[in-house]
Amino acid sequence: MGLGIGLGYVIKSILALGVIIFAANYSLKYLNTFMTKKGKVIRIIERTAINKSSSICIVEIAGTYYVMSFTDTRNEILRELTESEKEAVIKTQTEAEGERNTPLFSEAKSEPFLKQLQSRYQSLYEKRK
């Protein structure tokens, strides 16, 4: 009889702890939206990891493009990009954005695919009859 009462308290404690962890996680995610602001002047265009604690980035600061090194202890501008390099970066960036915005299936590709699916469905339906 005494074991059942103690087990009830343990289960209630575990449930309460789960609710507290869920509430803390949700509130931290909600508060993070106010803490991180999207910068209009500084943007990281591309980042490449060198090892687990350092990376090289192309950064746009007020319209000027830089190659920067980021480590745990130091951030450093390696060099400024020339106009031709800047145009190449902008071109690849717009191409990448265009690829992200294209649908997975274009209409030209999806129509034969949908007809093939329809014919398969009809043949399976007829076999069931």
Side-chain angles (χ1 to χ4, degrees):
M1 190 161 127
L3 183 64
I5 294 173
L7 186 62
Y9 286 126
V10 170
I11 292 173
K12 286 179 185 178
S13 298
I14 291 173
L15 288 175
L17 183 62
V19 169
I20 290 170
I21 290 173
F22 176 77
N25 188 22
Y26 181 77
S27 63
L28 286 174
K29 284 182 182 179
Y30 179 72
L31 290 174
N32 192 29
T33 59
F34 295 110
M35 298 301 289
T36 57
K37 295 189 175 160
K38 294 282 184 185
K40 296 185 192 296
V41 179
I42 300 173
R43 290 188 317 151
I44 295 179
I45 305 298
E46 188 171 343
R47 169 176 259 149
T48 303
I50 303 301
N51 58 33
K52 69 178 185 175
S53 64
S54 66
S55 62
I56 293 178
C57 299
I58 297 176
V59 180
E60 178 189 7
I61 302 174
T64 307
Y65 286 73
Y66 298 99
V67 177
M68 294 185 68
S69 168
F70 291 98
T71 63
D72 289 341
T73 57
R74 189 172 173 179
N75 301 330
E76 185 176 356
I77 295 176
L78 300 176
R79 71 183 189 95
E80 183 178 339
L81 295 180
T82 63
E83 282 298 318
S84 61
E85 292 170 333
K86 177 181 174 181
E87 290 171 8
V89 167
I90 292 172
K91 181 180 175 187
T92 57
Q93 183 182 8
T94 54
E95 288 174 359
E97 287 175 359
E99 289 175 1
R100 265 188 254 131
N101 293 334
T102 58
L104 187 60
F105 292 109
S106 64
E107 282 190 32
K109 291 181 181 177
S110 64
E111 191 170 322
F113 178 71
L114 291 175
K115 286 183 180 181
Q116 183 183 13
L117 281 178
Q118 184 180 13
S119 66
R120 282 186 185 177
Y121 175 74
Q122 286 175 350
S123 66
L124 288 173
Y125 181 74
E126 289 171 2
K127 285 180 183 177
R128 288 182 69 193
K129 283 184 175 183

